[in-house]
Amino acid sequence: MFALRFTTRRHRVWMSAAVTWLLLLGCKSSQGRSLSAQASGSCHSKIFWFMATTTSSSLGYWRLAKIALLSAKETSPNLVPVLIYGGVQDAASPEALDNIVWFREHGGIVYHHNLTFGPDLQRVVDKGLRDSKWIRDVEGTYMRLDIPVIMPHLLKQLEERKPGSTKYINQELALYTDADVMFYHEMNPCQMDKPEIMAIGPEMDRDNGSWEDMNKNSGVLLINLKGLSEVLPAMMDYSNEKDWDFKVTDQSLINEYFPQKDIHHRVLDRLSDAYNWKGYWGCSPRIAITHWHGPKPERCMPCFVEHRSKYSADKEAHVTGCKCPAAYNELWRRAMKVDGGGLYAKMMSDQAEYALHMSEPIATDKH
């Protein structure tokens, strides 16, 4: 599939969509409330897509971000990719600086930003509740909450550099994803309803109980910039009351705050499952974004795929052979049950081909 991707733009997008359709058939569609894909009159043709990294991010994280960018460029020309870069700029390693240059050369915007609520995190350290390393560990994950603050400054910078360059960019919505995603279909802002605050998808189980009670995954968010900015002060108050004691950083904050702590008890809009599709959900023609939730292409997944052919004879071969966390083993069992690990195998193949385009390997550790 991938050998044909880098021919002409028109042909490679058609080939990608056609072959993807053939390879991703056969899974049940999602249930429950979700944002529809109906266009609503006139709208802007582009939308900012944000990822976040910091000076302490690993090289593996950077590789995933670069692959996400390549896949977005191939399938989603309506996205304007922005990498939020946090931390002390002078502390960036030579490798990180090289990656920043690469990201810009491949059409991305790199925007340096320090968390507006960084002093709140520092107070937690000053109380002795966390060590100083904790801030470096969590600042990248919390960056998504500052996107409403970043947007006006980013728009101003772009306009100063090139007047009129932001005319066709949607200034009400923004897309955020973690770095460990790949795009498979076009993301068109004209086909997305605007959520009240943000649209978010489910964690692992798509149909386990009511949407209000379901655990949610913040790896992909469609953000109403005005809506989120209005609720952020109260979210910050709640976080400070808890001394930012969240098991899964921003994701736990979001799950705890909505709807129980929100003054209006609002339930967040459900993002279509297609925009945060997990490999263990199996194949589907609806997939727009795949998310490496759990096993990663550089950790455990190469070994899982290697043991795929042995699964029918020994359903625990991956456990003894790969020595991965129990939670990862369970997700692989789900994948094998739903489609024999087919979607994961395809995702690994696409990752490897994108890595070749970057002239560097992705999976360096089978375990």
Side-chain angles (χ1 to χ4, degrees):
M1 171 183 175
F2 195 92
L4 299 175
R5 281 179 172 168
F6 296 97
T7 52
T8 67
R9 165 91 200 151
R10 182 168 63 91
H11 288 112
R12 73 172 182 256
V13 172
W14 184 88
M15 287 297 295
S16 177
V19 179
T20 295
W21 178 270
L22 291 174
L23 290 174
L24 303 183
L25 291 176
C27 292
K28 294 180 180 179
S29 61
S30 63
Q31 303 292 323
R33 181 174 176 230
S34 64
L35 294 179
S36 68
Q38 300 297 318
S40 54
S42 61
C43 70
H44 296 283
S45 61
K46 293 184 178 293
I47 185 171
F48 280 121
W49 159 48
F50 290 90
M51 293 187 291
T53 186
T54 69
T55 53
S56 60
S57 295
S58 68
L59 294 181
Y61 184 95
W62 277 104
R63 286 194 292 270
L64 290 171
K66 290 158 74 173
I67 284 175
L69 177 62
L70 290 178
S71 68
K73 285 181 63 180
E74 182 180 356
T75 62
S76 300
N78 288 326
L79 294 178
V80 180
V82 181
L83 184 68
I84 308 170
Y85 184 64
V88 180
Q89 286 182 291
D90 293 343
S93 67
E95 293 83 4
L97 293 175
D98 288 343
N99 284 319
I100 288 174
V101 170
W102 184 97
F103 201 86
R104 287 172 171 154
E105 288 178 344
H106 286 75
I109 298 167
V110 179
Y111 183 89
H112 184 260
H113 176 75
N114 290 318
L115 287 173
T116 56
F117 47 94
D120 295 334
L121 302 183
Q122 184 60 50
R123 277 192 287 273
V124 174
V125 174
D126 293 342
K127 287 182 178 181
L129 301 175
R130 302 279 186 170
D131 60 30
S132 57
K133 182 177 178 292
W134 172 71
I135 295 179
R136 296 196 301 273
D137 291 340
V138 303
E139 63 179 338
T141 62
Y142 281 122
M143 283 290 182
R144 69 201 77 188
L145 299 180
D146 258 354
I147 288 175
V149 178
I150 291 170
M151 274 285 288
H153 299 286
L154 176 60
L155 288 166
K156 181 180 179 182
Q157 279 190 14
L158 295 177
E159 279 296 317
E160 288 175 349
R161 293 174 187 171
K162 186 178 180 181
S165 60
T166 66
K167 180 179 179 181
Y168 296 105
I169 298 177
N170 191 308
Q171 299 183 20
E172 297 180 349
L173 294 174
L175 178 70
Y176 169 86
T177 75
D178 288 344
D180 56 343
V181 302
M182 287 190 296
F183 291 81
Y184 280 90
H185 283 300
E186 183 179 15
M187 301 290 294
N188 189 343
C190 298
Q191 296 177 339
M192 297 177 182
D193 287 344
K194 183 167 69 173
E196 184 177 6
I197 299 170
M198 67 177 83
I200 187 171
E203 178 78 339
M204 291 187 291
D205 299 309
R206 294 188 287 150
D207 304 304
N208 186 16
S210 70
W211 172 240
E212 178 176 341
D213 298 329
M214 200 178 296
N215 195 33
K216 300 166 182 67
N217 178 267
S218 63
V220 180
L221 300 171
L222 182 64
I223 298 171
N224 177 334
L225 297 162
K226 184 174 184 292
L228 180 56
S229 65
E230 289 175 348
V231 76
L232 271 176
M235 292 180 70
M236 295 298 104
D237 289 343
Y238 174 70
S239 301
N240 286 321
E241 289 172 6
K242 285 179 59 72
D243 288 321
W244 294 84
D245 184 17
F246 298 112
K247 183 178 181 180
V248 193
T249 56
D250 67 285
Q251 181 168 296
S252 293
L253 165 57
I254 291 169
N255 275 288
E256 289 182 24
Y257 191 82
F258 297 102
Q260 292 86 356
K261 303 299 180 181
D262 178 52
I263 189 172
H264 300 296
H265 300 291
R266 290 168 291 189
V267 178
L268 294 176
D269 289 286
R270 180 165 180 168
L271 185 71
S272 170
D273 293 347
Y275 295 131
N276 189 355
W277 194 271
K278 318 304 192 302
Y280 49 84
W281 288 351
C283 55
S284 169
R286 302 175 59 250
I287 298 173
I289 300 174
T290 56
H291 182 188
W292 291 102
H293 182 248
K296 307 297 182 190
E298 76 280 2
R299 186 183 182 205
C300 291
M301 190 48 62
C303 188
F304 285 167
V305 171
E306 183 179 298
H307 283 75
R308 183 182 173 205
S309 61
K310 306 173 185 177
Y311 192 81
S312 59
D314 182 1
K315 290 182 170 49
E316 297 301 304
H318 67 288
V319 176
T320 56
C322 300
K323 296 180 174 58
C324 290
Y328 287 11
N329 292 332
E330 176 56 31
L331 294 180
W332 180 247
R333 291 187 190 99
R334 292 191 185 195
M336 289 302 297
K337 182 178 180 180
V338 71
D339 73 345
L343 177 56
Y344 266 139
K346 173 177 167 45
M347 290 166 63
M348 283 297 293
S349 175
D350 290 345
Q351 281 269 327
E353 295 294 347
Y354 279 123
L356 287 175
H357 186 62
M358 298 190 308
S359 300
E360 60 177 280
I362 289 297
T364 58
D365 181 3
K366 290 186 178 182
H367 305 296

